[in-house]
Amino acid sequence: LAGTFRLGDVARVAVETEARHLLGGSSFVLGAHLRTRMYAFEEADVPDISLEAFLDCVEEALAAEAPPGALTAPIESGGAAIFLATPSQKAKEAARRRFGERLRTRDDIEVDRLTAAGDSDAVMDLALLATTDALVTSEHSTFSYVAQSLAGVRPFVVTGSRAAVGG
């Protein structure tokens, strides 16, 4: 998919600006997308992914994929960063507690994907995920699949309550 989708100039500049703002001088970025239920009609179709299993997988993927020294250096000095894309404030707060300053996420986003602002924020998150060096994704998530296809990486996939599958 990487050659199929191209951002227009305005969108590309916006993504580059946001990436510089969020990810600073990091030498390695682990992208993570946690799919959560956003609407009542998704109850039967969207799996309930364990937040703990997801965060465990992020930690394992970071340890496995980050280059030597990137886990000890501050992000601004070439350290590793984690970019988390999820509509869940609960997940963002738990990840922030677990990963501290390494975690980068977009807090002020519109999560209602039935609005133009929600669509724009989703596209921004997708584009940011596509720039990452490695990915942790959620099962049954087209959003995750498109991000990993655009990034050209083989993701770590979290399924239900189990941690990493693949990678």
Side-chain angles (χ1 to χ4, degrees):
L1 289 178
T4 305
F5 296 103
R6 300 269 185 238
L7 294 174
D9 291 340
V10 172
R12 183 182 44 73
V13 169
V15 170
E16 289 170 354
T17 301
E18 188 71 8
R20 274 192 305 278
H21 167 73
L22 280 174
L23 306 171
S26 59
S27 63
F28 176 86
V29 179
L30 174 68
H33 173 248
L34 176 61
R35 171 71 161 100
T36 59
R37 294 180 187 134
M38 295 171 56
Y39 307 103
F41 65 82
E42 296 177 317
E43 188 69 32
D45 299 322
V46 176
D48 189 18
I49 302 228
S50 160
L51 179 55
E52 198 62 33
F54 182 81
L55 296 177
D56 287 347
C57 186
V58 169
E59 194 167 323
E60 292 169 21
L62 191 62
E65 300 291 328
L71 294 178
T72 55
I75 292 173
E76 296 73 22
S77 300
I82 300 164
F83 171 66
L84 174 63
T86 183
S88 170
Q89 275 306 121
K90 177 183 171 187
K92 290 177 182 183
E93 291 164 9
R96 196 169 277 117
R97 283 191 302 274
R98 186 150 174 184
F99 300 112
E101 291 295 317
R102 277 210 197 283
L103 182 78
R104 303 302 166 97
T105 190
R106 299 175 62 237
D107 287 309
D108 297 322
I109 63 169
E110 173 60 56
V111 297
D112 185 351
R113 299 299 183 247
L114 302 176
T115 67
D119 287 345
S120 294
D121 280 328
V123 168
M124 176 63 78
D125 278 352
L126 185 64
L128 289 167
L129 285 169
T131 67
T132 62
D133 301 296
L135 278 168
V136 173
T137 63
S138 305
E139 73 173 330
H140 300 296
S141 172
T142 304
F143 193 90
S144 287
Y145 174 75
V146 171
Q148 66 107 137
S149 295
L150 292 172
V153 299
R154 184 171 176 235
F156 292 77
V157 180
V158 181
T159 60
S161 63
R162 295 177 302 211
V165 174

